[in-house]
Amino acid sequence: MNAFKPQKELQKIIQRYVSGTATADEIIFVEKYYQYLDKNADILDQLDAEEIAKMATDNFSAINAKINVDQKRKTIRLYQYGAAAAILLIVFGLTFAFFHQTRPLLKPEFVTQKSLDVLPGKDKAVLTLADGSKVVLDEHTAANISEKDGLKISKTKEGQLVYAVLNQSNLKSGSTIAYNTIQTPKGGQYQVILPDGTKVWLNAASSLRYPEVFSGNERSVELMGEAYFEVAKNKAQPFHVKSHQQDVEVLGTHFNINSYLDNNTIKTTLLEGRVRISNGQSVKILKPGEQAIAEVSGNGVRLATDVDTDDETAWKNGLFQFNNADLKSILKQLERWYDVQIDYRSIPNKKYNGMVPRKAKLSEVLKMLEKTGNIRFEIGQGKKLTVLPEK
């Protein structure tokens, strides 16, 4: 089957639409595209993968050619009004058109549910302060968490934990460094703004340990799991991220680190700037668009130069995005985000390309996977997800 040529362009448009950064042209395009797919849903259900790809490609080109936006026209920006359900419908309509397997599309079976559906994760975490006290971070947490010794810790409505130095002279000094730890559970994510202004997005089932105030000749944090960093520049105080046996040194840059132990590798993907990766066995200098892959066992670091950075950071933008991804790796992401139990002993060897919003219910994501191949899932009691045998 020929590749769906506009796929990458569609993915980028959807990413911008979901994140609220789409242009007026792109907003109109998405709405027109969905209207077309919605009107032709019955036809699409009867077509095979090649026919769907051709229809989607032809329609993409036709709609794109017709768009002539009057900048004074008032466009309904669904995402500004919090219409999450409408956004999901649009994104799913688009996704259906180009979400396909690398093997032929077969007649799908739908998800079998024995219990209630599983809702997606949300902004939640637990903050452990230097004195050992714990603060649950969710929509009910008070805005002001702590304010003492010249340092203020607060929580925003947008799901951010913010450290702010109010008075440099009042900060505690001495050899003892006070550390905080923020930990997200399965089904949780959170953003932290550190005292130096560095922004960190923490994915599900991850933790970040860091000092309340950076002092000395370097800034150092410890990561388990996955996080995206936008490091504040400070040449006099390099920033270090330690994860397992790996150390990432930066001056000011944007990068993603995936260090889940069950992946057996630590992937560091650079989007902007320059970083130095070392794990005791070897050292690599990354340029934007490159990825360092280190074995958890510590056996060296290899470099990948043909990396799609959008795939690696899609989670931060509210998306699951797959580029020839195997089913097992996809299910691991679903396991962390939906906090489900998965039996990996009978996972078929299938690979997928496509995109699904992380705001979707689990059944909606599974239906997408089912529509792209001869595979079925079952959600059972205790949030157990089973891959059923192929017929």
Side-chain angles (χ1 to χ4, degrees):
M1 178 180 124
N2 293 329
F4 179 30
K5 294 181 180 179
Q7 177 178 344
K8 284 296 180 184
E9 189 172 350
L10 271 171
Q11 289 177 337
K12 293 181 185 298
I13 290 173
I14 295 172
Q15 280 186 328
R16 290 192 288 271
Y17 192 96
V18 173
S19 64
T21 59
T23 65
D25 303 58
E26 291 170 339
I27 294 169
I28 292 174
F29 175 85
V30 170
E31 292 170 358
K32 285 179 177 291
Y33 203 101
Y34 171 67
Q35 289 170 7
Y36 171 85
L37 293 173
D38 187 46
K39 291 178 181 178
N40 293 276
D42 294 339
I43 298 174
L44 290 171
D45 282 338
Q46 300 172 19
L47 300 178
D48 62 22
E50 187 171 356
E51 292 170 324
I52 289 174
K54 184 179 186 304
M55 176 179 285
T57 303
D58 293 345
N59 188 54
F60 180 94
S61 303
I63 291 178
N64 203 36
K66 290 179 180 178
I67 292 180
N68 182 13
V69 179
D70 179 358
Q71 296 300 333
K72 295 182 180 180
R73 176 180 175 181
K74 293 184 179 179
T75 303
I76 299 175
R77 297 173 180 263
L78 294 176
Y79 56 81
Q80 290 185 345
Y81 294 96
I87 293 175
L88 287 180
L89 285 173
I90 292 171
V91 175
F92 272 118
L94 284 166
T95 303
F96 178 78
F98 66 83
F99 196 116
H100 63 276
Q101 273 190 282
T102 54
R103 48 182 283 182
L105 180 69
L106 302 176
K107 184 177 179 180
E109 297 288 343
F110 291 100
V111 179
T112 301
Q113 286 185 255
K114 289 183 176 179
S115 60
L116 296 177
D117 201 355
V118 180
L119 297 176
K122 56 184 179 179
D123 293 333
K124 59 181 178 180
V126 175
L127 171 66
T128 303
L129 299 171
D131 62 4
S133 60
K134 296 182 182 297
V135 180
V136 175
L137 302 173
D138 57 25
E139 64 270 25
H140 305 297
T141 308
N144 294 322
I145 295 175
S146 173
E147 185 175 337
K148 62 179 181 180
D149 301 323
L151 179 69
K152 180 179 180 179
I153 306 174
S154 58
K155 181 195 76 75
T156 69
K157 293 180 180 179
E158 293 74 27
Q160 295 176 326
L161 182 66
V162 181
Y163 285 73
V165 177
L166 302 179
N167 191 326
Q168 190 72 33
S169 61
N170 286 348
L171 292 176
K172 283 186 176 181
S173 60
S175 57
T176 302
I177 301 176
Y179 284 92
N180 287 183
T181 300
I182 181 170
Q183 184 172 12
T184 56
K186 287 183 176 180
Q189 64 180 12
Y190 223 81
Q191 184 181 348
V192 188
I193 301 179
L194 299 176
D196 66 335
T198 292
K199 296 179 181 179
V200 185
W201 285 258
L202 208 60
N203 205 349
S206 303
S207 68
L208 185 74
R209 183 174 183 266
Y210 50 91
E212 288 185 339
V213 178
F214 292 113
S215 59
N217 56 8
E218 70 174 34
R219 297 167 288 168
S220 182
V221 301
E222 299 173 20
L223 171 70
M224 292 185 64
E226 184 170 21
Y228 178 86
F229 293 81
E230 291 185 358
V231 177
K233 294 182 178 179
N234 186 345
K235 291 184 179 180
Q237 202 176 33
F239 195 96
H240 288 257
V241 181
K242 302 181 186 299
S243 52
H244 304 306
Q245 301 181 51
Q246 174 182 282
D247 179 85
V248 177
E249 180 183 354
V250 304
L251 294 176
T253 188
H254 298 183
F255 60 98
N256 191 84
I257 299 180
N258 185 323
S259 62
Y260 290 113
L261 282 174
D262 57 1
N263 286 343
N264 298 319
T265 58
I266 304 171
K267 294 182 178 180
T268 304
T269 308
L270 182 62
L271 284 80
E272 178 184 308
R274 188 179 176 91
V275 300
R276 177 179 179 270
I277 314 290
S278 60
N279 73 341
Q281 298 291 325
S282 59
V283 176
K284 298 290 183 184
I285 305 296
L286 291 189
K287 294 182 294 185
E290 294 183 338
Q291 181 181 81
I293 304 172
E295 301 294 332
V296 171
S297 60
N299 295 326
V301 179
R302 65 183 187 273
L303 195 64
T305 58
D306 58 344
V307 178
D308 190 325
T309 57
D310 289 339
D311 290 347
E312 300 299 326
T313 60
W315 68 269
K316 169 185 166 287
N317 299 317
L319 297 167
F320 293 112
Q321 187 164 311
F322 313 124
N323 183 10
N324 200 33
D326 62 86
L327 182 58
K328 184 176 181 180
S329 68
I330 292 173
L331 292 179
K332 282 185 178 181
Q333 293 184 53
L334 301 185
E335 181 179 34
R336 298 184 191 112
W337 186 235
Y338 293 95
D339 189 15
V340 294
Q341 299 179 41
I342 299 176
D343 185 350
Y344 289 97
R345 291 176 297 180
S346 58
I347 305 299
N349 184 23
K350 296 177 183 288
K351 294 193 175 182
Y352 294 84
N353 296 289
M355 182 189 305
V356 183
R358 280 161 61 104
K359 289 184 179 180
K361 295 179 181 179
L362 178 58
S363 64
E364 294 172 316
V365 180
L366 298 179
K367 283 179 182 179
M368 281 294 171
L369 295 174
E370 290 192 339
K371 277 182 174 291
T372 58
N374 188 22
I375 188 171
R376 296 178 301 136
F377 299 92
E378 181 178 86
I379 304 173
Q381 295 292 337
K383 298 170 69 173
K384 292 183 179 179
L385 176 61
T386 304
V387 180
L388 300 178
E390 295 187 33
K391 290 185 176 179

